[in-house]
Amino acid sequence: MARSMHVRRPATLASLAAELGVSRTTVSNAYNRPDQLSPELRRRVLDTARRLGYPGPDPVARSLRTRKAGAVGLLLTENLSYAFRDPAAIGFLEGLALACEDAGTGLLLVPANPEREDVASVHRAGVDGFVVYSVPDDDPHLAAVLERPVPTVVCDQPDLGTVDRVGIDDRGAMYELAKHLIGLGHRRVGVVCMRLARDRNDGFVTPDRQHAAHFHVQRNRLSGLAEAFSEAGVDWSQVPVVERFDHNMASGASGAAQVLDKDPQITALICTSDVLALGAMTEAARRGLRVPHDITVTGFDGIRAGEEAGLTTVRQPVLEKGRAAGKLLLDANERTRPRSVNLATELIIGKTSGPPRGGAEERWFGP
Amino acid sequence: MARSMHVRRPATLASLAAELGVSRTTVSNAYNRPDQLSPELRRRVLDTARRLGYPGPDPVARSLRTRKAGAVGLLLTENLSYAFRDPAAIGFLEGLALACEDAGTGLLLVPANPEREDVASVHRAGVDGFVVYSVPDDDPHLAAVLERPVPTVVCDQPDLGTVDRVGIDDRGAMYELAKHLIGLGHRRVGVVCMRLARDRNDGFVTPDRQHAAHFHVQRNRLSGLAEAFSEAGVDWSQVPVVERFDHNMASGASGAAQVLDKDPQITALICTSDVLALGAMTEAARRGLRVPHDITVTGFDGIRAGEEAGLTTVRQPVLEKGRAAGKLLLDANERTRPRSVNLATELIIGKTSGPPRGGAEERWFGP
DNA sequence: TTGAAAGCGCTAACAC
DNA sequence: GTGTTAGCGCTTTCAA
């Protein structure tokens, strides 16, 4: 009776060994190396464990001893829950989860609130490696990860030269998309892009801010556009580029509105993501602009909803990207690090791009 | 020169303390309790750490000592990546991630492949608690979780009485939906449901299998239907119920086909999820059946795509469910455990349900 | 097949 | 403000 009044101190491997009158090695073997002891003894150990309420070797203590956590950490730029809102991020997560599953490894989502500079969560993460997905290049969490003595793979980030990297050719892909628009005859265009840095700037973007953008992906997509249009004789510094901090359709819509208010003459609205482009389409519709007859709208990513809308975009293999990141991290071959993987993208000509209004006629009368 | 040939053994807190000629406590304090030592000393510690390449206290060793992992584990029934395919699961994950974020806690996705009986991943997980989401009640991973001496919250599972639980009234909600259909005049109906147990059974379901279903959610939804239709004088044992192992639209379509082939006279196709219902709609369309004129189709969950399709369904607060699960787990108040939370659902009458074909006419001429 | 010894790297009382 | 002591619970040579 009195016994049950005590807070029963949970049994440990040592206490179990003592109870059984065997060594700790034997108990450990009963769990980890069944072939190292007789079946009867093993039974006896396991039975006694059950009787004493011993839940098996403590995973943390085991990790300390074996120097293996059995998990990889994932660092995202956004509030953790953002990952479950953005279709491209979900695809990436799925691919990464697939790779982890194959390896029997856990996937730890590290809470890295971009608002706070608190990197303790990175220090606290008991993981065998990190995947860093699309964070600004000056993010303190990224710096904290790089200081941890575990392998790291960065994704949609600049090549650091010191850790593995997987990504796509954002610049080249956007350049190609721009060439398509230029071929159609577009010269007067506007751009809606995602956040370029950690500070909120919902408005027009100066050329300086474009160049200095801390998000690798956005910087390169813009630079691909600038290059293509500059080559076509367009003064890029005069092109309205609008930035939005939050990544959702509402941002796409309001961004499009801001661009169109500034220059109602533009013939194409180039968005740096499908989600923004979908939002831009709703704004176009709201203004009675037919796509692509009155205005061309393009995206980037190749998400399902964009496909259904017939969006002209660049499709990137988000799931493969996640899987590749996981594979890279879990492939322990240190000798070949650091590695850099570029995945292929595909320009999708949908039904949201066409010649500028009047553009076709110009051709009829052209040289 | 010779030095650099050695594998540099990474610095530890102890070696750093030795180098500095201070105690380990002081070094520890430099990281964990800045107020416990002079700023100058702290600087010296941190500088030396940087010089020696000491990455800060090892998280695993710290966890062992503090008995806190700083993470919660999530156990899902499906391949890990499944969670990123199912809209309802994504919503749950988002809510859970939100709760974790608020608490500064990591979220560890535990790889629990339902094919393998390997529960080692559960044993290996260094977490302060588990959330178990919609696994069969006889899943060995669940059993393994329950043996771990950490708090647990089960979600969309039977109330075990020993651990916290969050869920909805699946039975009552489906009963209400059935009443709606009965009120419209439906008596001859068919059902497409998700998997009922761990074994694959893509086909008709016996009443026995319905009762014995190992997935709490499915069992209760079916039982709500059975109850309502039995009350309306329908012999439930004669109602075609088709099960699908994989949860996607294709399953909904093929399940609907199987039901319709068996009894082309049914006036309503009741699906136990929106995803299945969306698939069933495509099959109806393929057969030239207009919804709801020729056939009524209903779902369950209230996902976005269903809403857009105007689906008649039961909306459940998936995000809130995840958040509630996280809150329950992270609220350390042991005194009030175990707790059970039921979230409210809402019957959504969409445009996919209507009176049975001829049902209206019957009424005109009826008594 | 089993056991003894030696830590893995750290934190938390408590004393100085 | 700083140090001493005592483990957290486990695995793993190595020897018996």
Side-chain angles (χ1 to χ4, degrees), chain B residues 230-276:
Chain B
S230 297
E231 285 175 9
V234 174
D235 178 1
W236 187 254
S237 69
Q238 297 305 307
V239 172
V241 177
V242 157
E243 174 179 351
R244 282 295 180 269
F245 191 79
D246 296 318
H247 184 227
N248 49 40
M249 283 180 58
S251 287
S254 76
Q258 195 168 7
V259 169
L260 289 168
D261 285 345
K262 167 92 165 196
D263 182 357
Q265 304 294 320
I266 65 163
T267 61
L269 217 32
I270 304 168
C271 304
T272 62
S273 85
D274 285 356
V275 168
L276 292 177

Side-chain angles (χ1 to χ4, degrees), chain B residues 106-123:
Chain B
L107 179 57
L108 179 71
L109 307 184
V110 177
N113 194 313
E115 315 279 300
R116 297 184 297 191
E117 300 266 313
D118 177 22
V119 296
S121 56
V122 172
H123 291 144

Side-chain angles (χ1 to χ4, degrees), chain A residues 61-125:
Chain A
R62 167 189 274 153
S63 284
L64 175 58
R65 186 58 237 242
T66 61
R67 309 268 58 196
K68 285 244 145 294
V72 307
L74 173 61
L75 184 69
L76 297 150
T77 178
E78 277 279 358
N79 297 328
L80 224 170
S81 78
Y82 160 82
F84 303 112
R85 283 258 169 84
D86 180 57
I90 291 177
F92 178 82
L93 261 172
E94 183 184 347
L96 180 56
L98 238 29
C100 289
E101 197 163 53
D102 283 350
T105 299
L107 178 57
L108 179 71
L109 308 184
V110 177
N113 195 314
E115 314 280 300
R116 297 184 298 191
E117 300 266 316
D118 176 22
V119 297
S121 56
V122 171
H123 290 143
R124 220 182 294 283

Side-chain angles (χ1 to χ4, degrees), chain A:
Chain A
M1 276 309 240
R3 265 226 109 108
S4 64
M5 299 301 290
H6 292 275
V7 177
R8 199 222 309 241
R9 269 198 62 66
T12 69
L13 185 143
S15 70
L16 180 53
E19 174 83 17
L20 282 159
V22 302
S23 79
R24 299 189 307 233
T25 309
T26 301
V27 177
S28 176
N29 282 337
Y31 285 96
N32 302 319
R33 306 194 172 152
D35 52 310
Q36 294 295 296
L37 73 178
S38 64
E40 312 88 72
L41 180 52
R42 175 152 195 260
R43 268 243 68 73
R44 199 156 71 84
V45 172
L46 265 30
D47 287 348
T48 309
R50 180 166 306 267
R51 187 164 56 73
L52 262 53
Y54 176 64
D58 179 284
V60 175
R62 167 189 274 153
S63 284
L64 175 58
R65 186 58 237 242
T66 61
R67 309 268 58 196
K68 285 244 145 294
V72 307
L74 173 61
L75 184 69
L76 297 150
T77 178
E78 277 279 358
N79 297 328
L80 224 170
S81 78
Y82 160 82
F84 303 112
R85 283 258 169 84
D86 180 57
I90 291 177
F92 178 82
L93 261 172
E94 183 184 347
L96 180 56
L98 238 29
C100 289
E101 197 163 53
D102 283 350
T105 299
L107 178 57
L108 179 71
L109 308 184
V110 177
N113 195 314
E115 314 280 300
R116 297 184 298 191
E117 300 266 316
D118 176 22
V119 297
S121 56
V122 171
H123 290 143
R124 220 182 294 283
V127 295
D128 300 320
F130 281 98
V131 172
V132 179
Y133 178 69
S134 197
V135 307
D137 52 24
D138 60 344
D139 189 319
H141 296 93
L142 170 57
V145 163
L146 295 175
E147 276 172 4
R148 291 272 310 256
V150 293
T152 295
V153 177
V154 298
C155 193
D156 288 356
Q157 307 267 143
D159 194 340
L160 296 171
T162 51
V163 298
D164 291 341
R165 168 198 159 273
V166 25
I168 59 172
D169 179 8
D170 288 286
R171 191 165 195 278
M174 202 50 136
Y175 178 86
E176 205 189 335
L177 173 64
K179 280 296 190 191
H180 161 65
L181 297 180
I182 291 164
L184 286 171
H186 295 278
R187 294 293 182 278
R188 197 151 173 180
V189 303
V191 178
V192 182
C193 68
M194 289 165 62
R195 73 173 74 159
L196 299 181
R198 288 153 64 204
D199 63 314
R200 178 182 286 269
N201 170 45
D202 288 322
F204 290 101
V205 184
T206 63
D208 265 5
R209 189 174 170 90
Q210 290 181 43
H211 289 126
H214 285 290
F215 282 93
H216 171 87
V217 162
Q218 298 297 310
R219 186 176 61 244
N220 281 278
R221 290 181 192 171
L222 289 175
S223 127
L225 289 176
E227 182 177 1
F229 279 100
S230 297
E231 285 174 12
V234 174
D235 178 1
W236 187 254
S237 70
Q238 297 306 307
V239 171
V241 177
V242 156
E243 174 179 350
R244 282 295 179 271
F245 190 79
D246 296 317
H247 184 226
N248 51 40
M249 282 179 60
S251 287
S254 76
Q258 196 168 5
V259 169
L260 288 168
D261 285 345
K262 167 93 167 192
D263 182 359
Q265 304 294 320
I266 64 162
T267 62
L269 217 31
I270 304 169
C271 304
T272 62
S273 85
D274 285 356
V275 168
L276 292 178
L278 258 15
M281 304 252 297
T282 68
E283 175 62 16
R286 205 184 62 74
R287 294 182 175 224
L289 297 173
R290 289 159 302 170
V291 174
H293 184 81
D294 298 325
I295 192 162
T296 281
V297 176
T298 66
F300 200 111
D301 279 343
I303 68 173
R304 184 65 168 278
E307 191 179 347
E308 284 164 1
L311 201 60
T312 290
T313 189
V314 172
R315 179 182 296 151
Q316 61 166 324
V318 287
L319 190 139
E320 271 318 313
K321 212 151 71 171
R323 203 208 298 267
K327 283 227 166 84
L328 237 43
L329 189 59
L330 295 165
D331 166 19
N333 192 349
E334 287 294 341
R335 302 163 33 81
T336 57
R337 292 184 204 261
R339 298 156 291 188
S340 184
V341 173
N342 248 2
L343 268 29
T345 58
E346 185 188 0
L347 177 61
I348 306 289
I349 311 288
K351 53 187 199 202
T352 62
S353 59
R357 192 175 32 202
E361 288 81 354
E362 276 172 37
R363 277 209 205 108
W364 287 111
F365 302 110

Side-chain angles (χ1 to χ4, degrees), chain B residues 31-50:
Chain B
Y31 285 95
N32 304 318
R33 305 193 174 156
D35 52 309
Q36 293 296 295
L37 72 178
S38 63
E40 313 87 70
L41 180 53
R42 175 151 195 260
R43 268 244 66 74
R44 198 157 71 86
V45 172
L46 265 29
D47 287 349
T48 309
R50 181 166 302 268

